[in-house]
Amino acid sequence: MTALRFQLAPGQALAFAADPPPNTSPLAHERLLELYYDTADLALWRAGWRLSTRWRTGRWQLRLQGGDLKQPLLWDVQDCAVDCTKLPFKGRLGQTLLELLEGQELSLQLRLDGQRQIWEWVLAAGGRGRVTLEQGAVQVADLHLRFHELALSLPPLADETRWTALQQLLVPYEAVPSLQEPVVRGFERLRQAVPAFHKAQRAELDRGLSIEQAFARIVESCCRHFLANEEAVRAGDVEGVHQMRVALRRLRSCLRLFRALVPRAASAELVEEIRWLNGLLAAARDWDVFQSEGLQPLREHFPKRRGLAMLWRQVEQHRRQCYQRLHQGLELTRYRRLTLQLWLWLCCRRWRTGLTAQQYQALQAPLAAFAKAELRRLRRRVRRLGERFDSLDGAQRHRLRIRIKQLRYATEFFADLYLAARSDAFRQALSTLQDHLGAMNDALMTRRLLDELELAAANATRALVEGWYGGRMDLQLRDFAPYWQAFRDCRPPWKGR
């Protein structure tokens, strides 16, 4: 069975429960009640364990899961309190628990309370699955985190059949992917009072994978990075906005990297919607960068300049407006549909649609040769343009930065195929070049933002800001040559010893 989880808006969950989709029949309706215990510093959770008592079929059970356990351990207990005499304090598992709990007391950390409804789902193409609707709240201190989630269990299906079935079930209810169980979100909130931003994680590739398997893992890594930052973006976190934008850039770089084997048409509709969302993120991010990396240092150097104080207020107003438009975008059906279609595109291997037998066969080839060829191709493109750096104008330097970024992302995607030290050194050389070119590009971005503020060219404050960025650009131009030479001298990870 394939297991998938999706979130619903409260109204959509109510509609689903009241009028389930066709071809479903009710199986069960039960109470969800589970109390999670841990030490004050969440020693169990941080080590990958969960200890809880739960109400099931008229009795309380003590439940321990995590670590190397394939299945949770269950014991009947008298009430909702933890009966430590039931816990296995012998053997390797017992030693682990003793070390984690030594000198500490267990206390209630969060409470999950809700309802679960289960339906059998008869699929049009044959086979039977299950649809589970879970609704309720996770109580964390004084905070109640509401959840309305669909959990789907599907039998093995052809890609096209799975795609059609999921579309018919999920699209009418505007479902969106759920990457974390409600309890996990609760513990994350315990560890940090506000939603945290998340950086990209490696796709974990190896040389035994096919090209298609590697492509799917990279796409999944990018999707998870994107979705993991939604809460932080909704909370107005600056770094969350940056990370969501990075996730979409990485995804588009992945699609370009594999374009020879996964044609542009396979993802054209998704890319168009990604471009729309990235426009909202980019506008907010540009004002963030201008305010924190441009105006803030200037105000510290010239604290008495009234013009800078006025400019700061204008920038803050524009920044807030961009965040408002971004948050409004996240509430649109268009955004919810994008997240769903992107996740289903991955789960159903939608890029296979329209491939010829020859193209499909090419995707099944070993990864190593493809990765090496693509990295070499991207490196040649960077060097071909970078060797003419002194003659490049602003637009061409920006193009060079994009090529460097594409090579850096590809190096990160394929890092597990090569020696870590070699990959890290090469990626660091690229990152340094990208940062220097980014600082140069900031000067061009600043002119555009000042134009949006309608500051005249003769305005004294504008002259001060542009002079500041001009000085920074001169420094970056002067320092570029040694960093470029360091990149040229850095041995690529795919080359032999």
Side-chain angles (χ1 to χ4, degrees):
M1 283 283 189
T2 300
L4 299 170
R5 294 185 71 89
F6 299 89
Q7 295 183 45
L8 300 180
Q12 298 289 7
L14 182 64
F16 192 102
D19 185 19
N23 303 324
T24 60
S25 55
L27 288 178
H29 190 168
E30 57 192 24
R31 173 86 182 274
L32 284 177
L33 179 58
E34 195 152 9
L35 285 66
Y36 288 81
Y37 294 83
D38 209 324
T39 62
D41 63 351
L42 304 182
L44 292 174
W45 175 259
R46 288 187 290 105
W49 294 92
R50 299 188 208 177
L51 179 63
S52 64
T53 56
R54 64 177 187 169
W55 181 255
R56 284 293 186 277
T57 61
R59 68 185 190 276
W60 285 100
Q61 290 179 324
L62 178 63
R63 189 170 190 246
L64 177 67
Q65 63 184 124
D68 296 330
L69 296 177
K70 294 182 179 180
Q71 296 291 334
L73 300 179
L74 298 171
W75 303 270
D76 288 338
V77 290
Q78 294 298 316
D79 54 35
C80 63
V82 172
D83 183 353
C84 289
T85 64
K86 301 281 188 179
L87 296 177
F89 286 120
K90 294 182 180 180
R92 189 174 64 176
L93 172 57
Q95 184 62 34
T96 299
L97 292 176
L98 286 171
E99 291 174 357
L100 291 171
L101 300 178
E102 184 179 9
Q104 301 194 72
E105 293 185 0
L106 290 169
S107 60
L108 179 63
Q109 297 296 334
L110 56 84
R111 171 191 175 103
L112 183 149
D113 197 349
Q115 303 286 330
R116 173 189 287 135
Q117 294 172 260
I118 305 174
W119 295 266
E120 184 180 53
W121 183 18
V122 180
L123 301 168
R128 297 172 184 270
R130 283 197 174 188
V131 180
T132 302
L133 175 63
E134 297 178 348
Q135 299 187 79
V138 175
Q139 183 177 347
V140 181
D142 295 330
L143 183 65
H144 284 73
L145 304 176
R146 305 291 305 178
F147 63 88
H148 309 271
E149 300 211 347
L150 280 178
L152 309 181
S153 295
L154 298 176
L157 297 169
D159 293 330
E160 189 65 28
T161 302
R162 185 188 301 114
W163 169 266
T164 302
L166 291 174
Q167 290 283 323
Q168 291 174 347
L169 180 73
L170 299 171
V171 170
Y173 299 97
E174 297 186 10
V176 295
S178 176
L179 304 185
Q180 290 182 324
E181 299 174 40
V183 168
V184 176
R185 294 198 292 272
F187 271 104
E188 289 297 320
R189 190 59 63 89
L190 271 175
R191 296 178 65 182
Q192 187 160 335
V194 296
F197 66 86
H198 296 268
K199 292 189 174 183
Q201 300 296 315
R202 281 187 174 179
E204 298 184 2
L205 308 183
D206 62 69
R207 288 179 172 268
L209 296 178
S210 69
I211 296 172
E212 184 181 44
Q213 288 172 323
F215 175 72
R217 290 195 186 186
I218 296 170
V219 171
E220 180 177 354
S221 173
C222 295
C223 290
R224 288 184 177 277
H225 184 201
F226 158 55
L227 294 169
N229 283 286
E230 181 180 319
E231 282 194 72
V233 173
R234 290 183 182 277
D237 182 80
V238 170
E239 187 61 24
V241 171
H242 175 52
Q243 289 300 324
M244 181 180 276
R245 189 181 179 207
V246 168
L248 295 180
R249 282 178 165 178
R250 287 168 61 86
L251 177 57
R252 292 184 65 186
S253 286
C254 170
L255 296 174
R256 281 192 292 266
L257 180 64
F258 287 83
R259 187 164 289 160
L261 300 176
V262 180
R264 185 193 302 266
S267 59
E269 292 184 13
L270 280 177
V271 168
E272 188 62 33
E273 294 303 287
I274 289 171
R275 190 176 288 120
W276 160 74
L277 178 58
N278 199 53
L280 297 176
L281 292 163
R285 178 62 181 167
D286 286 349
W287 289 106
D288 283 336
V289 171
F290 180 42
Q291 187 179 60
S292 62
E293 298 180 15
L295 279 187
Q296 183 62 34
L298 262 174
R299 291 189 71 191
E300 292 172 359
H301 277 78
F302 304 101
K304 297 182 179 180
R305 291 292 293 261
R306 294 175 57 189
L308 287 176
M310 293 175 61
L311 179 58
W312 179 277
R313 288 192 292 271
Q314 288 180 280
V315 168
E316 178 62 19
Q317 180 182 3
H318 276 68
R319 193 183 78 87
R320 288 180 181 274
Q321 290 172 349
C322 286
Y323 267 81
Q324 184 179 13
R325 286 192 288 271
L326 172 58
H327 292 156
Q328 289 170 346
L330 298 187
E331 299 303 324
L332 295 176
T333 298
R334 183 177 185 179
Y335 171 76
R336 297 177 70 86
R337 188 168 296 160
L338 165 61
T339 61
L340 176 63
Q341 297 302 328
L342 180 57
W343 194 245
L344 295 186
W345 189 82
L346 168 65
C347 295
C348 300
R349 302 296 190 261
R350 195 64 178 164
W351 55 83
R352 293 177 176 176
T353 304
L355 291 183
T356 65
Q358 185 178 6
Q359 288 173 317
Y360 176 77
Q361 193 62 35
L363 274 174
Q364 310 315 309
L367 172 64
F370 172 82
K372 181 177 180 179
E374 287 301 305
L375 288 169
R376 292 178 64 183
R377 178 182 66 83
L378 292 173
R379 182 170 177 263
R380 283 196 301 270
R381 292 178 75 241
V382 168
R383 292 193 60 170
R384 194 158 50 236
L385 189 57
E387 295 295 351
R388 301 187 288 109
F389 181 78
D390 290 339
S391 63
L392 301 183
D393 59 22
Q396 291 170 322
R397 287 197 295 263
H398 181 58
R399 191 182 313 141
L400 174 61
R401 178 169 175 258
I402 291 174
R403 290 186 181 183
I404 289 172
K405 187 186 303 180
Q406 290 171 346
L407 176 57
R408 180 170 71 85
Y409 286 158
T411 303
E412 292 172 355
F413 294 152
F414 297 137
D416 290 339
L417 305 182
Y418 308 107
L419 291 173
R422 188 85 61 79
S423 292
D424 291 345
F426 190 69
R427 180 178 52 80
Q428 185 56 53
L430 289 167
S431 183
T432 301
L433 285 176
Q434 184 182 328
D435 289 344
H436 276 266
L437 288 166
M440 298 179 204
N441 188 62
D442 286 346
L444 299 177
M445 179 191 73
T446 298
R447 294 192 190 104
R448 174 175 60 78
L449 297 181
L450 292 174
D451 287 341
E452 288 187 34
L453 295 174
E454 298 182 351
L455 282 184
N459 183 283
T461 301
R462 175 165 186 155
L464 177 61
V465 172
E466 290 187 334
W468 174 271
Y469 273 95
R472 289 179 59 184
M473 178 177 283
D474 286 344
L475 289 174
Q476 300 298 333
L477 286 169
R478 188 177 61 195
D479 293 342
F480 185 80
Y483 290 114
W484 176 255
Q485 188 61 45
F487 161 69
R488 294 180 79 250
D489 294 341
C490 188
R491 192 173 185 83
W494 60 87
K495 287 195 173 182
R497 298 183 182 278

